[in-house]
Structure formats: structure tokens, C-alpha cells
């Protein structure tokens, strides 16, 4: 299983290309932050490339 962790659309593009070129036969999971989901509402289309999508909240809150 291949795990891709992306934090920007540029990283997502690189993960998609790397998956299609090098790891087509392996299972692949992509972790994407919620701001990519909010920006691209059709993120479910990534299931054409990846086997599973995990959306997480990467916002860091620091309170003094």
C-alpha cells in the first residue's frame, strides 16, 4: 500500500502523476487537508486514481 500525504494542490498533482506512472498496480491512499476539499468540491473524482481518500483538518490552533 502506498500512502500519499499532500498539503497543496501542487503536491496533489505530483502524487497523481507519480501514482499513474509508477504505482498503478499497488493500493494507494491519499490524505488531503480540508482546504483542498473546500476549494475543489469534486474531490471525489480522485477515486479514479486513488483507492481511498482521507480528509483531515490540518489547521493548527495555538492559544496563549
Amino acid at each position: 500500500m502506498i500512502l500519499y500525504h499532500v498539503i497543496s494542490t501542487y503536491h496533489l498533482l505530483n502524487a497523481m502523476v507519480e501514482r499513474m506512472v509508477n504505482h498503478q498496480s499497488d493500493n494507494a491512499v491519499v490524505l488531503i487537508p480540508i482546504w483542498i476539499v473546500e476549494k475543489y468540491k469534486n474531490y471525489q473524482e480522485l477515486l479514479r486514481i486513488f483507492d481511498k481518500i482521507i480528509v483531515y483538518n490540518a489547521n493548527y490552533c495555538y492559544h496563549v
Side-chain angles (χ1 to χ4, degrees):
M1 178 193 307
I2 308 293
L3 176 64
Y4 296 97
H5 177 231
V6 300
I7 58 170
S8 69
T9 54
Y10 178 74
H11 293 129
L12 181 58
L13 177 62
N14 283 331
M16 291 166 59
V17 170
E18 203 273 336
R19 160 79 169 147
M20 290 187 291
V21 171
N22 296 321
H23 298 285
Q24 286 184 349
S25 62
D26 297 331
N27 289 336
V29 177
V30 63
L31 279 84
I32 60 174
I34 198 159
W35 59 76
I36 292 179
V37 171
E38 292 170 351
K39 188 173 183 179
Y40 300 105
K41 299 296 182 186
N42 61 347
Y43 75 96
Q44 292 291 335
E45 295 293 321
L46 291 172
L47 289 173
R48 294 181 178 184
I49 299 171
F50 301 102
D51 298 312
K52 186 175 180 182
I53 301 169
I54 300 174
V55 179
Y56 69 99
N57 187 357
N59 292 333
Y60 178 74
C61 296
Y62 179 72
H63 299 281
V64 180

